[in-house]
mmCIF file with all atom_site columns, all heavy atoms in Angstrom:
data_model
loop_
_atom_site.group_PDB
_atom_site.id
_atom_site.type_symbol
_atom_site.label_atom_id
_atom_site.label_alt_id
_atom_site.label_comp_id
_atom_site.label_asym_id
_atom_site.label_entity_id
_atom_site.label_seq_id
_atom_site.pdbx_PDB_ins_code
_atom_site.Cartn_x
_atom_site.Cartn_y
_atom_site.Cartn_z
_atom_site.occupancy
_atom_site.B_iso_or_equiv
_atom_site.pdbx_formal_charge
_atom_site.auth_seq_id
_atom_site.auth_comp_id
_atom_site.auth_asym_id
_atom_site.auth_atom_id
_atom_site.pdbx_PDB_model_num
ATOM 1   N N   . THR A 1 1  ? -33.873 -16.283 -29.948 1.00 84.00 ? 1  THR A N   1
ATOM 2   C CA  . THR A 1 1  ? -32.683 -15.872 -29.209 1.00 84.00 ? 1  THR A CA  1
ATOM 3   C C   . THR A 1 1  ? -32.229 -17.002 -28.293 1.00 84.00 ? 1  THR A C   1
ATOM 4   O O   . THR A 1 1  ? -31.044 -17.341 -28.233 1.00 84.00 ? 1  THR A O   1
ATOM 5   C CB  . THR A 1 1  ? -32.960 -14.596 -28.395 1.00 84.00 ? 1  THR A CB  1
ATOM 6   O OG1 . THR A 1 1  ? -33.386 -13.575 -29.295 1.00 84.00 ? 1  THR A OG1 1
ATOM 7   C CG2 . THR A 1 1  ? -31.738 -14.150 -27.634 1.00 84.00 ? 1  THR A CG2 1
ATOM 8   N N   . TRP A 1 2  ? -33.174 -17.605 -27.580 1.00 84.00 ? 2  TRP A N   1
ATOM 9   C CA  . TRP A 1 2  ? -32.857 -18.717 -26.687 1.00 84.00 ? 2  TRP A CA  1
ATOM 10  C C   . TRP A 1 2  ? -32.271 -19.886 -27.482 1.00 84.00 ? 2  TRP A C   1
ATOM 11  O O   . TRP A 1 2  ? -31.262 -20.478 -27.091 1.00 84.00 ? 2  TRP A O   1
ATOM 12  C CB  . TRP A 1 2  ? -34.114 -19.164 -25.939 1.00 84.00 ? 2  TRP A CB  1
ATOM 13  C CG  . TRP A 1 2  ? -33.900 -20.413 -25.157 1.00 84.00 ? 2  TRP A CG  1
ATOM 14  C CD1 . TRP A 1 2  ? -33.373 -20.522 -23.910 1.00 84.00 ? 2  TRP A CD1 1
ATOM 15  C CD2 . TRP A 1 2  ? -34.179 -21.749 -25.603 1.00 84.00 ? 2  TRP A CD2 1
ATOM 16  N NE1 . TRP A 1 2  ? -33.314 -21.849 -23.541 1.00 84.00 ? 2  TRP A NE1 1
ATOM 17  C CE2 . TRP A 1 2  ? -33.805 -22.614 -24.562 1.00 84.00 ? 2  TRP A CE2 1
ATOM 18  C CE3 . TRP A 1 2  ? -34.722 -22.278 -26.763 1.00 84.00 ? 2  TRP A CE3 1
ATOM 19  C CZ2 . TRP A 1 2  ? -33.946 -24.001 -24.659 1.00 84.00 ? 2  TRP A CZ2 1
ATOM 20  C CZ3 . TRP A 1 2  ? -34.855 -23.659 -26.855 1.00 84.00 ? 2  TRP A CZ3 1
ATOM 21  C CH2 . TRP A 1 2  ? -34.477 -24.492 -25.809 1.00 84.00 ? 2  TRP A CH2 1
ATOM 22  N N   . TYR A 1 3  ? -32.888 -20.210 -28.606 1.00 84.00 ? 3  TYR A N   1
ATOM 23  C CA  . TYR A 1 3  ? -32.438 -21.329 -29.430 1.00 84.00 ? 3  TYR A CA  1
ATOM 24  C C   . TYR A 1 3  ? -30.989 -21.149 -29.875 1.00 84.00 ? 3  TYR A C   1
ATOM 25  O O   . TYR A 1 3  ? -30.161 -22.050 -29.722 1.00 84.00 ? 3  TYR A O   1
ATOM 26  C CB  . TYR A 1 3  ? -33.358 -21.499 -30.649 1.00 84.00 ? 3  TYR A CB  1
ATOM 27  C CG  . TYR A 1 3  ? -32.758 -22.350 -31.736 1.00 84.00 ? 3  TYR A CG  1
ATOM 28  C CD1 . TYR A 1 3  ? -32.743 -23.729 -31.624 1.00 84.00 ? 3  TYR A CD1 1
ATOM 29  C CD2 . TYR A 1 3  ? -32.172 -21.762 -32.861 1.00 84.00 ? 3  TYR A CD2 1
ATOM 30  C CE1 . TYR A 1 3  ? -32.164 -24.513 -32.621 1.00 84.00 ? 3  TYR A CE1 1
ATOM 31  C CE2 . TYR A 1 3  ? -31.596 -22.541 -33.842 1.00 84.00 ? 3  TYR A CE2 1
ATOM 32  C CZ  . TYR A 1 3  ? -31.588 -23.906 -33.722 1.00 84.00 ? 3  TYR A CZ  1
ATOM 33  O OH  . TYR A 1 3  ? -31.006 -24.676 -34.688 1.00 84.00 ? 3  TYR A OH  1
ATOM 34  N N   . TYR A 1 4  ? -30.669 -19.989 -30.441 1.00 85.00 ? 4  TYR A N   1
ATOM 35  C CA  . TYR A 1 4  ? -29.303 -19.765 -30.924 1.00 85.00 ? 4  TYR A CA  1
ATOM 36  C C   . TYR A 1 4  ? -28.292 -19.859 -29.788 1.00 85.00 ? 4  TYR A C   1
ATOM 37  O O   . TYR A 1 4  ? -27.216 -20.432 -29.937 1.00 85.00 ? 4  TYR A O   1
ATOM 38  C CB  . TYR A 1 4  ? -29.186 -18.405 -31.628 1.00 85.00 ? 4  TYR A CB  1
ATOM 39  C CG  . TYR A 1 4  ? -29.886 -18.380 -32.970 1.00 85.00 ? 4  TYR A CG  1
ATOM 40  C CD1 . TYR A 1 4  ? -30.841 -17.426 -33.257 1.00 85.00 ? 4  TYR A CD1 1
ATOM 41  C CD2 . TYR A 1 4  ? -29.599 -19.324 -33.948 1.00 85.00 ? 4  TYR A CD2 1
ATOM 42  C CE1 . TYR A 1 4  ? -31.483 -17.401 -34.489 1.00 85.00 ? 4  TYR A CE1 1
ATOM 43  C CE2 . TYR A 1 4  ? -30.239 -19.310 -35.169 1.00 85.00 ? 4  TYR A CE2 1
ATOM 44  C CZ  . TYR A 1 4  ? -31.179 -18.346 -35.434 1.00 85.00 ? 4  TYR A CZ  1
ATOM 45  O OH  . TYR A 1 4  ? -31.804 -18.333 -36.646 1.00 85.00 ? 4  TYR A OH  1
ATOM 46  N N   . GLY A 1 5  ? -28.626 -19.309 -28.636 1.00 90.00 ? 5  GLY A N   1
ATOM 47  C CA  . GLY A 1 5  ? -27.735 -19.393 -27.486 1.00 90.00 ? 5  GLY A CA  1
ATOM 48  C C   . GLY A 1 5  ? -27.557 -20.811 -26.989 1.00 90.00 ? 5  GLY A C   1
ATOM 49  O O   . GLY A 1 5  ? -26.444 -21.263 -26.694 1.00 90.00 ? 5  GLY A O   1
ATOM 50  N N   . ALA A 1 6  ? -28.664 -21.551 -26.908 1.00 89.00 ? 6  ALA A N   1
ATOM 51  C CA  . ALA A 1 6  ? -28.606 -22.921 -26.397 1.00 89.00 ? 6  ALA A CA  1
ATOM 52  C C   . ALA A 1 6  ? -27.836 -23.844 -27.337 1.00 89.00 ? 6  ALA A C   1
ATOM 53  O O   . ALA A 1 6  ? -26.992 -24.635 -26.896 1.00 89.00 ? 6  ALA A O   1
ATOM 54  C CB  . ALA A 1 6  ? -30.028 -23.449 -26.167 1.00 89.00 ? 6  ALA A CB  1
ATOM 55  N N   . VAL A 1 7  ? -28.100 -23.764 -28.627 1.00 90.00 ? 7  VAL A N   1
ATOM 56  C CA  . VAL A 1 7  ? -27.388 -24.613 -29.588 1.00 90.00 ? 7  VAL A CA  1
ATOM 57  C C   . VAL A 1 7  ? -25.902 -24.264 -29.602 1.00 90.00 ? 7  VAL A C   1
ATOM 58  O O   . VAL A 1 7  ? -25.047 -25.157 -29.656 1.00 90.00 ? 7  VAL A O   1
ATOM 59  C CB  . VAL A 1 7  ? -28.017 -24.509 -30.996 1.00 90.00 ? 7  VAL A CB  1
ATOM 60  C CG1 . VAL A 1 7  ? -27.127 -25.144 -32.048 1.00 90.00 ? 7  VAL A CG1 1
ATOM 61  C CG2 . VAL A 1 7  ? -29.383 -25.183 -31.005 1.00 90.00 ? 7  VAL A CG2 1
ATOM 62  N N   . GLY A 1 8  ? -25.590 -22.968 -29.524 1.00 90.00 ? 8  GLY A N   1
ATOM 63  C CA  . GLY A 1 8  ? -24.186 -22.557 -29.471 1.00 90.00 ? 8  GLY A CA  1
ATOM 64  C C   . GLY A 1 8  ? -23.481 -23.103 -28.241 1.00 90.00 ? 8  GLY A C   1
ATOM 65  O O   . GLY A 1 8  ? -22.349 -23.592 -28.314 1.00 90.00 ? 8  GLY A O   1
ATOM 66  N N   . GLU A 1 9  ? -24.156 -23.034 -27.100 1.00 92.00 ? 9  GLU A N   1
ATOM 67  C CA  . GLU A 1 9  ? -23.577 -23.548 -25.856 1.00 92.00 ? 9  GLU A CA  1
ATOM 68  C C   . GLU A 1 9  ? -23.386 -25.067 -25.924 1.00 92.00 ? 9  GLU A C   1
ATOM 69  O O   . GLU A 1 9  ? -22.354 -25.592 -25.506 1.00 92.00 ? 9  GLU A O   1
ATOM 70  C CB  . GLU A 1 9  ? -24.478 -23.175 -24.678 1.00 92.00 ? 9  GLU A CB  1
ATOM 71  C CG  . GLU A 1 9  ? -23.892 -23.509 -23.333 1.00 92.00 ? 9  GLU A CG  1
ATOM 72  C CD  . GLU A 1 9  ? -24.734 -22.991 -22.175 1.00 92.00 ? 9  GLU A CD  1
ATOM 73  O OE1 . GLU A 1 9  ? -25.675 -22.197 -22.394 1.00 92.00 ? 9  GLU A OE1 1
ATOM 74  O OE2 . GLU A 1 9  ? -24.449 -23.399 -21.041 1.00 92.00 ? 9  GLU A OE2 1
ATOM 75  N N   . LEU A 1 10 ? -24.371 -25.758 -26.465 1.00 93.00 ? 10 LEU A N   1
ATOM 76  C CA  . LEU A 1 10 ? -24.244 -27.214 -26.623 1.00 93.00 ? 10 LEU A CA  1
ATOM 77  C C   . LEU A 1 10 ? -23.084 -27.579 -27.543 1.00 93.00 ? 10 LEU A C   1
ATOM 78  O O   . LEU A 1 10 ? -22.258 -28.439 -27.209 1.00 93.00 ? 10 LEU A O   1
ATOM 79  C CB  . LEU A 1 10 ? -25.532 -27.799 -27.211 1.00 93.00 ? 10 LEU A CB  1
ATOM 80  C CG  . LEU A 1 10 ? -26.702 -27.986 -26.279 1.00 93.00 ? 10 LEU A CG  1
ATOM 81  C CD1 . LEU A 1 10 ? -27.956 -28.326 -27.084 1.00 93.00 ? 10 LEU A CD1 1
ATOM 82  C CD2 . LEU A 1 10 ? -26.410 -29.076 -25.273 1.00 93.00 ? 10 LEU A CD2 1
ATOM 83  N N   . ALA A 1 11 ? -23.013 -26.932 -28.697 1.00 93.00 ? 11 ALA A N   1
ATOM 84  C CA  . ALA A 1 11 ? -21.957 -27.236 -29.666 1.00 93.00 ? 11 ALA A CA  1
ATOM 85  C C   . ALA A 1 11 ? -20.580 -26.956 -29.075 1.00 93.00 ? 11 ALA A C   1
ATOM 86  O O   . ALA A 1 11 ? -19.650 -27.758 -29.237 1.00 93.00 ? 11 ALA A O   1
ATOM 87  C CB  . ALA A 1 11 ? -22.175 -26.433 -30.948 1.00 93.00 ? 11 ALA A CB  1
ATOM 88  N N   . ALA A 1 12 ? -20.442 -25.841 -28.371 1.00 94.00 ? 12 ALA A N   1
ATOM 89  C CA  . ALA A 1 12 ? -19.152 -25.495 -27.771 1.00 94.00 ? 12 ALA A CA  1
ATOM 90  C C   . ALA A 1 12 ? -18.766 -26.490 -26.680 1.00 94.00 ? 12 ALA A C   1
ATOM 91  O O   . ALA A 1 12 ? -17.595 -26.897 -26.581 1.00 94.00 ? 12 ALA A O   1
ATOM 92  C CB  . ALA A 1 12 ? -19.205 -24.077 -27.207 1.00 94.00 ? 12 ALA A CB  1
ATOM 93  N N   . THR A 1 13 ? -19.722 -26.906 -25.878 1.00 95.00 ? 13 THR A N   1
ATOM 94  C CA  . THR A 1 13 ? -19.448 -27.870 -24.808 1.00 95.00 ? 13 THR A CA  1
ATOM 95  C C   . THR A 1 13 ? -19.012 -29.206 -25.388 1.00 95.00 ? 13 THR A C   1
ATOM 96  O O   . THR A 1 13 ? -18.033 -29.808 -24.933 1.00 95.00 ? 13 THR A O   1
ATOM 97  C CB  . THR A 1 13 ? -20.684 -28.049 -23.904 1.00 95.00 ? 13 THR A CB  1
ATOM 98  O OG1 . THR A 1 13 ? -20.999 -26.787 -23.315 1.00 95.00 ? 13 THR A OG1 1
ATOM 99  C CG2 . THR A 1 13 ? -20.433 -29.072 -22.813 1.00 95.00 ? 13 THR A CG2 1
ATOM 100 N N   . LEU A 1 14 ? -19.723 -29.673 -26.410 1.00 95.00 ? 14 LEU A N   1
ATOM 101 C CA  . LEU A 1 14 ? -19.352 -30.945 -27.027 1.00 95.00 ? 14 LEU A CA  1
ATOM 102 C C   . LEU A 1 14 ? -17.979 -30.860 -27.679 1.00 95.00 ? 14 LEU A C   1
ATOM 103 O O   . LEU A 1 14 ? -17.151 -31.770 -27.533 1.00 95.00 ? 14 LEU A O   1
ATOM 104 C CB  . LEU A 1 14 ? -20.411 -31.370 -28.047 1.00 95.00 ? 14 LEU A CB  1
ATOM 105 C CG  . LEU A 1 14 ? -21.783 -31.712 -27.476 1.00 95.00 ? 14 LEU A CG  1
ATOM 106 C CD1 . LEU A 1 14 ? -22.770 -32.022 -28.604 1.00 95.00 ? 14 LEU A CD1 1
ATOM 107 C CD2 . LEU A 1 14 ? -21.704 -32.865 -26.494 1.00 95.00 ? 14 LEU A CD2 1
ATOM 108 N N   . ALA A 1 15 ? -17.706 -29.770 -28.388 1.00 95.00 ? 15 ALA A N   1
ATOM 109 C CA  . ALA A 1 15 ? -16.405 -29.603 -29.037 1.00 95.00 ? 15 ALA A CA  1
ATOM 110 C C   . ALA A 1 15 ? -15.277 -29.560 -28.009 1.00 95.00 ? 15 ALA A C   1
ATOM 111 O O   . ALA A 1 15 ? -14.230 -30.191 -28.191 1.00 95.00 ? 15 ALA A O   1
ATOM 112 C CB  . ALA A 1 15 ? -16.398 -28.332 -29.889 1.00 95.00 ? 15 ALA A CB  1
ATOM 113 N N   . ALA A 1 16 ? -15.480 -28.852 -26.908 1.00 95.00 ? 16 ALA A N   1
ATOM 114 C CA  . ALA A 1 16 ? -14.450 -28.745 -25.876 1.00 95.00 ? 16 ALA A CA  1
ATOM 115 C C   . ALA A 1 16 ? -14.171 -30.094 -25.226 1.00 95.00 ? 16 ALA A C   1
ATOM 116 O O   . ALA A 1 16 ? -13.065 -30.336 -24.730 1.00 95.00 ? 16 ALA A O   1
ATOM 117 C CB  . ALA A 1 16 ? -14.877 -27.731 -24.811 1.00 95.00 ? 16 ALA A CB  1
ATOM 118 N N   . GLN A 1 17 ? -15.168 -30.983 -25.222 1.00 96.00 ? 17 GLN A N   1
ATOM 119 C CA  . GLN A 1 17 ? -14.994 -32.297 -24.613 1.00 96.00 ? 17 GLN A CA  1
ATOM 120 C C   . GLN A 1 17 ? -14.740 -33.386 -25.660 1.00 96.00 ? 17 GLN A C   1
ATOM 121 O O   . GLN A 1 17 ? -14.760 -34.570 -25.358 1.00 96.00 ? 17 GLN A O   1
ATOM 122 C CB  . GLN A 1 17 ? -16.224 -32.633 -23.750 1.00 96.00 ? 17 GLN A CB  1
ATOM 123 C CG  . GLN A 1 17 ? -16.380 -31.678 -22.578 1.00 96.00 ? 17 GLN A CG  1
ATOM 124 C CD  . GLN A 1 17 ? -17.569 -32.004 -21.702 1.00 96.00 ? 17 GLN A CD  1
ATOM 125 O OE1 . GLN A 1 17 ? -17.982 -33.155 -21.588 1.00 96.00 ? 17 GLN A OE1 1
ATOM 126 N NE2 . GLN A 1 17 ? -18.128 -30.985 -21.067 1.00 96.00 ? 17 GLN A NE2 1
ATOM 127 N N   . ASP A 1 18 ? -14.479 -32.959 -26.893 1.00 96.00 ? 18 ASP A N   1
ATOM 128 C CA  . ASP A 1 18 ? -14.154 -33.862 -28.001 1.00 96.00 ? 18 ASP A CA  1
ATOM 129 C C   . ASP A 1 18 ? -15.235 -34.935 -28.201 1.00 96.00 ? 18 ASP A C   1
ATOM 130 O O   . ASP A 1 18 ? -14.936 -36.114 -28.384 1.00 96.00 ? 18 ASP A O   1
ATOM 131 C CB  . ASP A 1 18 ? -12.781 -34.504 -27.789 1.00 96.00 ? 18 ASP A CB  1
ATOM 132 C CG  . ASP A 1 18 ? -12.190 -35.027 -29.083 1.00 96.00 ? 18 ASP A CG  1
ATOM 133 O OD1 . ASP A 1 18 ? -12.558 -34.506 -30.152 1.00 96.00 ? 18 ASP A OD1 1
ATOM 134 O OD2 . ASP A 1 18 ? -11.390 -35.975 -29.022 1.00 96.00 ? 18 ASP A OD2 1
ATOM 135 N N   . ILE A 1 19 ? -16.492 -34.497 -28.161 1.00 96.00 ? 19 ILE A N   1
ATOM 136 C CA  . ILE A 1 19 ? -17.629 -35.385 -28.383 1.00 96.00 ? 19 ILE A CA  1
ATOM 137 C C   . ILE A 1 19 ? -18.285 -34.971 -29.703 1.00 96.00 ? 19 ILE A C   1
ATOM 138 O O   . ILE A 1 19 ? -18.695 -33.827 -29.859 1.00 96.00 ? 19 ILE A O   1
ATOM 139 C CB  . ILE A 1 19 ? -18.655 -35.305 -27.238 1.00 96.00 ? 19 ILE A CB  1
ATOM 140 C CG1 . ILE A 1 19 ? -18.023 -35.773 -25.925 1.00 96.00 ? 19 ILE A CG1 1
ATOM 141 C CG2 . ILE A 1 19 ? -19.894 -36.137 -27.569 1.00 96.00 ? 19 ILE A CG2 1
ATOM 142 C CD1 . ILE A 1 19 ? -18.906 -35.581 -24.712 1.00 96.00 ? 19 ILE A CD1 1
ATOM 143 N N   . ALA A 1 20 ? -18.366 -35.921 -30.623 1.00 95.00 ? 20 ALA A N   1
ATOM 144 C CA  . ALA A 1 20 ? -18.980 -35.640 -31.923 1.00 95.00 ? 20 ALA A CA  1
ATOM 145 C C   . ALA A 1 20 ? -20.458 -36.025 -31.886 1.00 95.00 ? 20 ALA A C   1
ATOM 146 O O   . ALA A 1 20 ? -20.795 -37.156 -31.522 1.00 95.00 ? 20 ALA A O   1
ATOM 147 C CB  . ALA A 1 20 ? -18.280 -36.424 -33.020 1.00 95.00 ? 20 ALA A CB  1
ATOM 148 N N   . PRO A 1 21 ? -21.350 -35.109 -32.251 1.00 95.00 ? 21 PRO A N   1
ATOM 149 C CA  . PRO A 1 21 ? -22.767 -35.469 -32.347 1.00 95.00 ? 21 PRO A CA  1
ATOM 150 C C   . PRO A 1 21 ? -22.961 -36.571 -33.389 1.00 95.00 ? 21 PRO A C   1
ATOM 151 O O   . PRO A 1 21 ? -22.219 -36.647 -34.368 1.00 95.00 ? 21 PRO A O   1
ATOM 152 C CB  . PRO A 1 21 ? -23.448 -34.176 -32.798 1.00 95.00 ? 21 PRO A CB  1
ATOM 153 C CG  . PRO A 1 21 ? -22.488 -33.095 -32.443 1.00 95.00 ? 21 PRO A CG  1
ATOM 154 C CD  . PRO A 1 21 ? -21.122 -33.699 -32.563 1.00 95.00 ? 21 PRO A CD  1
ATOM 155 N N   . THR A 1 22 ? -23.949 -37.406 -33.185 1.00 95.00 ? 22 THR A N   1
ATOM 156 C CA  . THR A 1 22 ? -24.250 -38.485 -34.129 1.00 95.00 ? 22 THR A CA  1
ATOM 157 C C   . THR A 1 22 ? -25.355 -38.094 -35.114 1.00 95.00 ? 22 THR A C   1
ATOM 158 O O   . THR A 1 22 ? -25.763 -38.920 -35.924 1.00 95.00 ? 22 THR A O   1
ATOM 159 C CB  . THR A 1 22 ? -24.657 -39.766 -33.377 1.00 95.00 ? 22 THR A CB  1
ATOM 160 O OG1 . THR A 1 22 ? -25.792 -39.474 -32.563 1.00 95.00 ? 22 THR A OG1 1
ATOM 161 C CG2 . THR A 1 22 ? -23.511 -40.286 -32.528 1.00 95.00 ? 22 THR A CG2 1
ATOM 162 N N   . GLY A 1 23 ? -25.819 -36.866 -35.025 1.00 94.00 ? 23 GLY A N   1
ATOM 163 C CA  . GLY A 1 23 ? -26.868 -36.384 -35.916 1.00 94.00 ? 23 GLY A CA  1
ATOM 164 C C   . GLY A 1 23 ? -27.064 -34.901 -35.718 1.00 94.00 ? 23 GLY A C   1
ATOM 165 O O   . GLY A 1 23 ? -26.356 -34.265 -34.929 1.00 94.00 ? 23 GLY A O   1
ATOM 166 N N   . PRO A 1 24 ? -28.040 -34.325 -36.425 1.00 94.00 ? 24 PRO A N   1
ATOM 167 C CA  . PRO A 1 24 ? -28.271 -32.885 -36.318 1.00 94.00 ? 24 PRO A CA  1
ATOM 168 C C   . PRO A 1 24 ? -28.908 -32.514 -34.980 1.00 94.00 ? 24 PRO A C   1
ATOM 169 O O   . PRO A 1 24 ? -29.483 -33.363 -34.287 1.00 94.00 ? 24 PRO A O   1
ATOM 170 C CB  . PRO A 1 24 ? -29.235 -32.595 -37.469 1.00 94.00 ? 24 PRO A CB  1
ATOM 171 C CG  . PRO A 1 24 ? -29.973 -33.879 -37.662 1.00 94.00 ? 24 PRO A CG  1
ATOM 172 C CD  . PRO A 1 24 ? -28.967 -34.974 -37.358 1.00 94.00 ? 24 PRO A CD  1
#
């Protein structure tokens, strides 16, 4: 549960700030 929430929050934050991850 923690993992899914944390990854979702990270992905949303990066997307909102127009930052593309460089890996998985």
Side-chain angles (χ1 to χ4, degrees):
T1 302
W2 172 84
Y3 164 78
Y4 289 125
V7 168
E9 187 174 349
L10 282 170
T13 299
L14 294 176
Q17 296 181 29
D18 201 25
I19 297 173
T22 58

